[in-house]
Amino acid sequence: MKSRLLITVILFLIMNSLYAESRDAKAPKGKVDKELRYNSAILGYDVHYSIYLPPDYASSGKHYPVIYLLHGYTGDHTSWIRQGEINKIMDSGIASGEIEPMILIIPDGKYYWYINDYQNKYRYEDFMFEEFLPFIDKTYRTIPDKEHRAVAGLSMGGYGSLVWAMHHPDKFSYCVALSASMFDEDGMAKMPDQLYKYMSLLYGAPEAKGKERVTEPFKRNSPIDMAQTNSSESLKSVKWFIDCGNQDQLSVVNRELHDIFTKRDIDNIYHARNGRHDWLFWREGIYQGLRFISQGSGKTKT
């Protein structure tokens, strides 16, 4: 009896999987281009980027919301496609009606953490808002306003998405931060020297110890600090989605951000679920984040 039940369950799972694959195969496919580049005068080099255009982009003549999707450290503009399977996620979600047809822009952020470094030698944030974002709105059929623009990312890109949304609340209505790689002031003060040596390239004070590491450039680019000091009006103008796995060492600081938002009565969706700092977690997270953006609303929950 037990063996028959086991066989039945296995057959059910196989058939369900085949059905899902068949359904996804029939879903209209969006267009993906991973070989694009923009010549940046600010950065002094060609910035590579990938794009996802929804299935009906070529035939509809419509304008679409746009999401800037940021990769993690050691990744590049193709990571969300190669490892994240974002094109398949979008195709399936659009076909099911759970995800709104949207344009996805995935820029190569290299290892600049999507900000201007303290010496303004690598002005990635300036590149984005002075050059690249206007270029995208002129080149593709986006809806070029705050209400139809979002930013999302994982790890380093989760940090970048939070910084951009806090620095530029007039540009984004939604922010989806997955496993955001960030530090509070105590984390900077106690950071291992080897890691701090690298982070000081962004924030300055390379020889500092303890609280001396908490520089003005660090605080200016710290989501934790900005969540406490930015105006409630600016923070409330963005809808926030924070997702971090319980087995991820970054879960503590992501929870801290959620707690600060909650204390200040800033609505945010916060997911603390089983998962690690890996693509299995992020693929599920971005699907939920895209649904959140598509629904256009969210209330705090734990």
Side-chain angles (χ1 to χ4, degrees):
M1 180 66 71
K2 289 183 179 180
S3 61
R4 284 186 179 180
L5 178 61
L6 179 60
I7 292 171
T8 301
V9 170
I10 291 172
L11 287 173
F12 172 79
L13 292 174
I14 291 173
M15 293 302 295
N16 189 57
S17 176
L18 290 173
Y19 171 76
E21 289 179 10
S22 173
R23 179 197 61 200
D24 292 344
K26 293 178 181 177
K29 295 196 169 33
K31 179 182 178 182
V32 173
D33 195 335
K34 299 182 288 185
E35 305 299 328
L36 300 168
R37 61 182 66 195
Y38 174 84
N39 182 253
S40 170
I42 289 175
L43 293 176
Y45 64 83
D46 285 357
V47 178
H48 292 77
Y49 69 98
S50 295
I51 190 169
Y52 170 90
L53 299 173
D56 65 347
Y57 183 87
S59 61
S60 71
K62 296 189 301 185
H63 287 69
Y64 298 83
V66 60
I67 301 177
Y68 289 84
L69 188 58
L70 311 183
H71 64 77
Y73 187 70
T74 74
D76 63 23
H77 62 293
T78 68
S79 299
W80 267 111
I81 298 168
R82 291 185 294 103
Q83 296 162 282
E85 301 179 347
I86 192 63
N87 52 318
K88 296 179 182 179
I89 291 171
M90 287 295 296
D91 290 344
S92 177
I94 291 171
S96 70
E98 291 191 303
I99 294 176
E100 182 179 2
M102 294 179 279
I103 296 171
L104 267 58
I105 305 293
I106 312 171
D108 185 358
K110 292 191 180 294
Y111 41 81
Y112 300 144
W113 291 72
Y114 302 101
I115 64 174
N116 296 348
D117 76 296
Y118 77 105
Q119 295 176 305
N120 272 333
K121 290 175 63 178
Y122 303 106
R123 297 164 49 210
Y124 195 93
E125 188 172 354
D126 286 350
F127 147 74
M128 172 55 59
F129 293 95
E130 295 178 21
E131 292 183 332
F132 193 60
L133 192 150
F135 162 77
I136 292 298
D137 285 339
K138 289 178 182 177
T139 307
Y140 304 99
R141 294 199 313 273
T142 66
I143 303 175
D145 59 28
K146 167 185 168 69
E147 286 70 27
H148 297 90
R149 190 183 294 122
V151 61
L154 66 88
S155 194
M156 180 182 79
Y159 165 85
S161 67
L162 290 167
V163 172
W164 285 4
M166 291 179 180
H167 281 178
H168 307 274
D170 60 318
K171 300 296 185 185
F172 303 105
S173 279
Y174 307 92
C175 176
V176 173
L178 309 178
S179 311
S181 184
M182 57 184 169
F183 310 95
D184 58 17
E185 294 186 5
D186 190 56
M188 282 296 289
K190 297 178 180 178
M191 185 178 293
D193 290 345
Q194 187 174 2
L195 177 57
Y196 177 74
K197 185 177 181 180
Y198 169 73
M199 300 307 294
S200 70
L201 298 175
L202 297 173
Y203 306 127
E207 304 300 326
K209 301 290 184 181
K211 289 293 185 180
E212 293 178 358
R213 294 174 170 181
V214 183
T215 63
E216 283 305 315
F218 167 77
K219 291 193 287 187
R220 189 167 60 246
N221 292 286
S222 166
I224 297 296
D225 275 60
M226 287 188 286
Q228 297 176 83
T229 59
N230 285 14
S231 71
S232 292
E233 181 182 8
S234 70
L235 293 172
K236 287 181 178 181
S237 73
V238 178
K239 296 179 176 66
W240 305 94
F241 182 100
I242 305 166
D243 190 21
C244 194
N246 291 328
Q247 288 73 44
D248 192 327
Q249 62 181 355
L250 293 166
S251 62
V252 174
V253 72
N254 278 263
R255 175 78 193 208
E256 182 179 357
L257 178 62
H258 161 67
D259 289 343
I260 294 168
F261 275 157
T262 302
K263 186 175 181 180
R264 295 194 65 189
D265 196 29
I266 309 298
D267 275 355
N268 65 105
I269 293 290
Y270 173 70
H271 286 168
R273 57 191 176 89
N274 286 334
R276 302 183 183 279
H277 204 77
D278 57 30
W279 281 106
L280 180 64
F281 184 85
W282 298 324
R283 283 191 289 266
E284 171 63 22
I286 195 61
Y287 188 83
Q288 297 302 325
L290 290 166
R291 288 184 60 201
F292 167 73
I293 294 169
S294 299
Q295 291 165 358
S297 64
K299 295 182 179 180
T300 303
K301 65 179 181 181
T302 56

